[in-house]
Amino acid sequence: MNLPEKDRLLVVEDDPDLAELLLEELEAAGYEARHMSSVASARRCIEEWRPQLVISDLRLPDGNGMDLLVDVTDSDTSPAFLMITAFGTISQAVAALKAGADEFLTKPLDIDHFLLTVERLLENKRLRKEVEQYRSLMSGDVFHGIIGRSAPMQALFHQIRQIAAADGPVLILGESGTGKELVAKAVHSNSDRRSAPFLAVNCAGIPAELMESEFFGHVSGAFTGAGQSREGLLAQANGGTLLLDEIAEMPLALQAKLLRALQDGNIRPVGGDQEVKVDVRIMAATHQDLQQCCRDGRFREDLYFRLETFSLRVPPLRDRGTDIELLANHFLNQNRQRAQRNIKGFTSEALVILQSYRFPGNVRELQNAVDRAVAFCNEDYVDIDHLPGRMRNDFDSIPQPHDRGSIVDLEEFNGDRPPDLKAVQRQYIHHILRHTNGNKRRAADILGITRRTLYRWLEE
């Protein structure tokens, strides 16, 4: 098992003696610390290394800590910021705090007070992150139990609101594990039928010989064992919504009866001679290509067009960008409360692997992976060793920057002039973008840089 990840601290100080002292004290306290002596070098380090805390002198050779502070507070990394200076005044302190600094200390530093301040700022940063995660789960990132802040999910939430206001059949498409039943429940919960029943049935889980009775009900004596009459699912959901999951598995004969129920709202129980009027909104879900099923003769085309009155497509997890981390933290919170474990989060390496993985099993696979990680994690943070082997192996198969010859084999050039560094870098970036299907967030994580750096390189 890997050791828990250390907090990363960057010291920006042009006094070499003070910088050396601070590094020694921070490393002795268990932190991972680096030193830069200028604003320019600090900016590069923050972009590439992504520290949790920046400790910066106010006056630096090529600028001042205030310039660095403004840059940092606008960046993706958003570290905590501690300003130190030998020229402390009330006005400078107020200006630093207004610009976003978390604390302001003056030289000469009291080392014990300095270390306590560092510990407090890091703890505050962790608490702010937890509060932000909680707020996100209580805000627009959660829509009737569906978690997602990515653009594809926000678009889906908008479509759900629009479709919920109508009352026709709904066809929900998407890969296995994407949460199609949650989408159906969200449509129902936003509709005028919200106070009526919502029933869901998996068509693949009902034996073919029992399916008609299950959906339409039966009268007493209709078949052997039918000792009394029984309402079917369509009647039980009267006034509400019925979700037919895995609709492609429904036999053709039953598809014809379902189409008639959709058209006139009448159903006939098995063995009965009287039709029953029902008012139920039908939703259907499948991971299969229903148009191909129609071409293959396995699904009625007229039923397909009827079900497709309104259509929703649930995006796969690999297309949802930041939702992977959001969902992973959500499942981690659920697990640690249930298991009473004090796991603080994921290491950056574990998050990179999660964000780089394509998740063929989608949200369900991510949830199972987090469940497994919590069971195996006896440390403060979930690390790469706690994740399923397939995820680690998938990440290891991605060509990394240090893999010699993965893109350009320099030995092939012999006496010819090899490509310049910019050309090799450009080729490798486009190689990674192809691997991630254009997902710049995942590409930046694989390259070990921020998205802002990636965008700048692409512009250049």
Side-chain angles (χ1 to χ4, degrees), residues 6-134:
K6 295 181 179 180
D7 287 313
R8 298 183 299 278
L9 278 61
L10 173 63
V11 176
V12 189
E13 172 61 62
D14 61 340
D15 180 341
D17 294 331
L18 178 58
E20 183 178 358
L21 172 64
L22 295 181
L23 286 180
E24 288 178 356
E25 293 291 342
L26 292 171
E27 289 170 353
Y31 302 114
E32 183 178 356
R34 291 185 183 180
H35 168 235
M36 296 294 159
S37 58
S38 67
V39 172
S41 60
R43 283 171 174 157
R44 289 193 296 271
C45 183
I46 291 168
E47 283 197 350
E48 302 299 331
W49 194 45
R50 288 182 270 188
Q52 278 86 33
L53 172 63
V54 175
I55 303 161
S56 176
D57 195 359
L58 181 61
R59 295 190 177 182
L60 294 165
D62 59 342
N64 62 68
M66 293 291 288
D67 296 331
L68 183 61
L69 171 62
V70 172
D71 289 342
V72 164
T73 52
D74 289 336
S75 73
D76 292 336
T77 54
S78 298
F81 203 100
L82 171 59
M83 188 78 79
I84 57 175
T85 181
F87 308 92
T89 66
I90 296 298
S91 61
Q92 288 175 327
V94 171
L97 293 174
K98 282 185 175 180
D102 296 278
E103 188 57 271
F104 187 98
L105 297 179
T106 58
K107 301 176 185 177
L109 292 175
D110 180 306
I111 294 300
D112 289 336
H113 179 59
F114 166 75
L115 292 175
L116 286 173
T117 301
V118 166
E119 182 181 359
R120 175 170 55 82
L121 294 183
L122 289 169
E123 183 61 26
N124 287 344
K125 178 176 172 60
R126 280 189 284 269
L127 289 173
R128 284 198 301 270
K129 183 177 181 180
E130 290 181 8
V131 169
E132 180 60 31
Q133 290 172 357
Y134 175 77

Side-chain angles (χ1 to χ4, degrees), residues 35 100 151 219 283 287 294 318 335 360 363 375 398 437 446:
H35 168 235
V219 298
M283 298 188 196
H287 69 279
C294 291
R318 61 181 172 274
N335 272 277
V363 179
I398 301 172
N437 291 326
I446 293 170

Side-chain angles (χ1 to χ4, degrees), residues 349 352 392 395-410 421 424-425 428-429 431-432 445-448:
E349 291 82 359
V352 167
R392 302 195 301 269
F395 181 78
D396 290 339
S397 69
I398 301 172
Q400 300 296 317
H402 58 268
D403 291 342
R404 182 183 175 194
S406 59
I407 304 299
V408 176
D409 187 353
L410 298 180
L421 183 60
V424 175
Q425 174 179 289
Y428 186 73
I429 290 171
H431 172 81
I432 295 299
D445 286 331
I446 293 170
L447 291 165

Side-chain angles (χ1 to χ4, degrees), residues 156 171-181 183 245-246 284-290 311-318 360-362 364:
L156 177 63
L171 180 61
I172 305 172
L173 305 171
E175 298 175 7
S176 295
T178 51
K180 295 186 288 294
E181 184 171 340
V183 169
D245 200 5
E246 300 300 341
T286 182
H287 69 279
Q288 297 191 45
D289 183 345
L290 280 189
S311 181
L312 291 168
R313 183 171 293 277
V314 188
L317 184 56
R318 61 181 172 274
N362 292 291
R364 187 182 298 126

Side-chain angles (χ1 to χ4, degrees), residues 185-333:
K185 288 180 179 178
V187 174
H188 173 78
S189 298
N190 273 269
S191 72
D192 293 337
R193 297 175 180 267
R194 65 179 69 88
S195 58
F198 173 89
L199 300 180
V201 59
N202 188 335
C203 297
I206 304 175
E209 62 273 16
L210 299 179
M211 196 172 285
E212 183 176 2
S213 172
E214 189 72 19
F215 283 109
F216 297 95
H218 61 260
V219 298
S220 177
F223 50 83
T224 303
Q228 58 185 7
S229 299
R230 180 179 177 274
E231 277 190 337
L233 290 168
L234 285 159
Q236 293 174 40
N238 191 34
T241 302
L242 176 63
L243 170 64
L244 307 177
D245 200 5
E246 300 300 341
I247 185 70
E249 302 300 326
M250 181 178 284
L252 284 168
L254 195 60
Q255 290 177 30
K257 290 197 69 173
L258 176 62
L259 177 63
R260 186 164 183 271
L262 282 168
Q263 288 173 337
D264 58 23
N266 293 321
I267 61 172
R268 186 190 299 273
V270 177
D273 55 9
Q274 297 289 326
E275 289 192 335
V276 179
K277 190 75 173 178
V278 294
D279 173 25
V280 59
R281 187 176 196 180
I282 298 294
M283 298 188 196
T286 182
H287 69 279
Q288 297 191 45
D289 183 345
L290 280 189
Q291 289 181 313
Q292 185 61 50
C293 291
C294 291
R295 289 191 288 269
D296 295 341
R298 295 187 294 115
F299 201 82
R300 293 179 63 102
E301 193 174 50
D302 48 3
L303 177 58
Y304 167 72
F305 288 128
R306 179 65 176 165
L307 290 172
E308 205 199 17
T309 302
F310 298 104
S311 181
L312 291 168
R313 183 171 293 277
V314 188
L317 184 56
R318 61 181 172 274
D319 292 342
R320 293 175 53 181
T322 56
D323 288 349
I324 293 176
E325 182 175 351
L326 185 68
L327 284 161
N329 281 307
H330 169 69
F331 295 137
L332 179 64
N333 288 334

Side-chain angles (χ1 to χ4, degrees), residues 370-437:
V370 176
D371 291 349
R372 178 193 187 279
V374 171
F376 281 93
C377 181
N378 295 312
E379 302 162 10
D380 290 337
Y381 292 89
V382 171
D383 206 348
I384 56 176
D385 292 336
H386 306 129
L387 298 175
R390 65 182 179 278
M391 295 184 179
R392 302 195 301 269
N393 295 337
D394 181 77
F395 181 78
D396 290 339
S397 69
I398 301 172
Q400 300 296 317
H402 58 268
D403 291 342
R404 182 183 175 194
S406 59
I407 304 299
V408 176
D409 187 353
L410 298 180
E411 299 297 331
E412 292 182 357
F413 290 95
N414 298 321
D416 299 333
R417 181 181 177 181
D420 59 37
L421 183 60
K422 284 284 187 182
V424 175
Q425 174 179 289
R426 183 167 58 250
Q427 186 180 3
Y428 186 73
I429 290 171
H430 286 292
H431 172 81
I432 295 299
L433 284 170
R434 284 195 299 273
H435 173 84
T436 63
N437 291 326

